[in-house]
Amino acid sequence: MIAALVMGLMKAMAGADINWFQSCQIAGMRSLGLSLGWILGILGLFLGMYQFAILIIVVGGVLGMIYMIVAMMSYPNTKKDMIVYVVLITILVATFISYFVLKEFVLSSLINNGGSTTNFLNNIL
């Protein structure tokens, strides 16, 4: 979904000559930072360093965004001033999608488990 959004916005707004594979590479840069954060965060949970785990997950999210922005900025033959708007729209759409998906997941899980947060946490793990 993010790759399609990146491809459409880069073509329409930034004037880039981009194909599907290249947009997947740009979207994958975001996933790279998020994956690093989650892997180290899970390792922190296993070691009992909970503050470190939360901090490194947030840092991984920020690094993912930085990686994606740098990949968009370094793409050849684009209008660099329009990249800012492409990134802003991409972040807003991804935030709304993730909000509604997580809201639906959390609410349906809590309703199915009778509102017990321990059952909800057990389902996540």
Side-chain angles (χ1 to χ4, degrees):
M1 177 130 216
I2 298 292
L5 187 65
V6 166
M7 186 173 109
L9 290 173
M10 288 286 282
K11 277 187 175 187
M13 294 178 72
D17 185 26
I18 190 169
N19 61 26
W20 177 251
F21 181 71
Q22 293 163 336
S23 66
C24 287
Q25 288 176 331
I26 291 175
M29 294 303 290
R30 181 172 183 223
S31 300
L32 177 69
L34 290 171
S35 298
L36 289 172
W38 277 102
I39 289 170
L40 292 175
I42 291 171
L43 180 65
L45 285 176
F46 285 135
L47 296 176
M49 300 185 310
Y50 302 114
Q51 291 84 7
F52 171 77
I54 291 171
L55 179 68
I56 203 68
I57 288 171
V58 170
V59 168
V62 171
L63 279 177
M65 292 308 300
I66 291 171
Y67 292 161
M68 188 176 81
I69 292 168
V70 167
M72 284 183 186
M73 289 297 288
S74 64
Y75 197 81
N77 299 328
T78 58
K79 299 174 189 169
K80 302 298 182 199
D81 55 343
M82 295 305 286
I83 296 292
V84 177
Y85 299 111
V86 170
V87 170
L88 179 66
I89 293 170
T90 304
I91 291 171
L92 289 176
V93 169
T95 302
F96 285 129
I97 290 171
S98 62
Y99 170 75
F100 288 118
V101 167
L102 289 176
K103 180 181 171 186
E104 182 66 30
F105 172 72
V106 170
L107 287 178
S108 66
S109 180
L110 285 174
I111 289 169
N112 291 337
N113 293 324
S116 173
T117 55
T118 55
N119 288 339
F120 169 69
L121 293 175
N122 285 333
N123 286 343
I124 290 177
L125 296 175

